[in-house]
Amino acid sequence: MRTLILSDIHANLPALEAVITDAGHVDRTWCLGDLVGYGPEPNECIELINQQPGLSCVLGNHDSAVVEKININTFNGDAKVALIWQKKMLGNTNKKFLMSLNEVEFINNVMLVHGSPRNPVWEYILNSEIARKNFKILQSEMCLTGHSHIPGIFTLQIDQSIEFQQPRSRWSGDISCKHILNPGSVGQPRDRDSRASYVIFDDEDQSWHFHRVEYDISKVQHRIIESGLPFSLAHRLSLGF
Ligand code: ZN
């Protein structure tokens, strides 16, 4: 069975379409939140995600803000401007979908969250120290997270040290260790690689495949500007940051 794992779409429809096409046939889709925020097409992205097979999806911080589960004033600058605009644009069915999302999902022995096991919506796992604190409370062997927009895997090794790696293709973990895996961001990568990022999990041989795919960045940049959203949100997509 092939599972598409994706996160942080951020209303970037051309990037999401490119990922879905590049992934090909999948049996399941696990989305780690932030369907909205920053980009010009929140409705279209939510609708396309809902068409994907075997969908499981968790709530991201931007999703939470746009449906007022958390205060939009928690955000600042461009993020806040985009959320206020999206809140006006979002259709009722799509709002209801975001309202229905849980902060945590478990599928077999895999935990799905947007942020981290101890703070599912907000915490960024950006270094080994934060990863270690989360491994302490992680009950499952594998946790999937988004939020940082940086693809990679933290592993709690047998000797209790923490390893971080960024595989460029296939990766298969030691099943006696715990792992926190981030597939990177579809719609706003921040690792200086502007291509959309995602992972395919093949449960037959328990392998995880990291992918990057190019998409038409200028198309979404035009839509950002046409929508009256801040220019910097368009510009950063070319930088992959
Ligand atoms: Zn995000």
Side-chain angles (χ1 to χ4, degrees):
M1 186 150 53
R2 278 163 59 83
T3 306
L4 169 61
I5 300 157
L6 76 182
S7 190
D8 297 278
I9 297 158
H10 287 300
N12 183 339
L13 185 65
L16 179 58
E17 287 172 336
V19 163
I20 288 169
T21 303
D22 195 57
H25 169 79
V26 298
D27 304 285
R28 294 184 298 196
T29 308
W30 295 348
C31 176
L32 307 173
D34 276 3
L35 287 83
V36 302
Y38 300 124
E41 287 170 295
N43 287 302
E44 293 81 355
C45 286
I46 294 171
E47 284 151 19
L48 184 54
I49 273 293
N50 270 291
Q51 290 166 23
Q52 301 315 303
L55 178 68
S56 300
C57 186
V58 291
L59 183 78
N61 54 322
H62 288 255
D63 307 323
S64 186
V66 88
V67 294
E68 295 178 279
K69 278 191 172 179
I70 54 176
N71 194 326
I72 285 187
N73 292 320
T74 325
F75 292 78
N76 42 41
D78 297 342
K80 184 173 164 182
V81 171
L83 283 167
I84 291 168
W85 180 82
Q86 290 187 353
K87 203 179 115 188
K88 278 189 274 178
M89 302 302 291
L90 213 56
N92 275 337
T93 311
N94 294 331
K95 264 186 196 155
K96 274 184 199 153
F97 171 74
L98 295 181
M99 287 294 286
S100 75
L101 298 176
N102 295 321
E103 293 184 2
V104 180
E105 294 281 351
F106 280 95
I107 301 161
N108 303 325
N109 205 21
V110 180
M111 181 187 204
L112 273 55
V113 290
H114 180 65
S116 76
R118 63 176 185 167
N119 187 341
V121 176
W122 275 109
E123 188 177 41
Y124 292 91
I125 305 181
L126 289 170
N127 57 50
S128 301
E129 206 179 309
I130 300 168
R132 183 181 298 285
K133 286 175 179 156
N134 278 287
F135 277 124
K136 276 197 181 131
I137 65 150
L138 180 62
Q139 302 288 329
S140 61
E141 282 144 25
M142 176 61 81
C143 176
L144 305 179
T145 68
H147 199 35
S148 70
H149 300 208
I150 309 283
I153 306 148
F154 287 96
T155 298
L156 179 63
Q157 316 250 52
I158 312 263
D159 66 1
Q160 300 301 302
S161 64
I162 308 268
E163 182 193 49
F164 179 67
Q165 43 182 324
Q166 293 190 289
R168 294 280 166 235
S169 54
R170 183 185 188 279
W171 173 82
S172 117
D174 182 340
I175 52 161
S176 54
C177 296
K178 284 184 183 176
H179 308 281
I180 297 174
L181 182 151
N182 190 320
S185 168
V186 171
Q188 196 195 78
R190 293 180 191 161
D191 59 348
R192 305 280 174 193
D193 181 342
S194 61
R195 296 172 300 167
S197 186
Y198 70 97
V199 164
I200 296 281
F201 171 53
D202 187 335
D203 70 350
E204 231 164 85
D205 63 354
Q206 297 287 304
S207 58
W208 306 76
H209 300 251
F210 284 77
H211 293 271
R212 298 307 282 254
V213 58
E214 282 181 19
Y215 70 97
D216 191 346
I217 295 178
S218 65
K219 198 191 255 182
V220 69
Q221 287 175 323
H222 282 124
R223 290 176 189 171
I224 287 171
I225 290 157
E226 272 166 23
S227 306
L229 291 166
F231 174 77
S232 55
L233 291 176
H235 182 58
R236 67 185 298 175
L237 295 176
S238 305
L239 307 174
F241 191 74

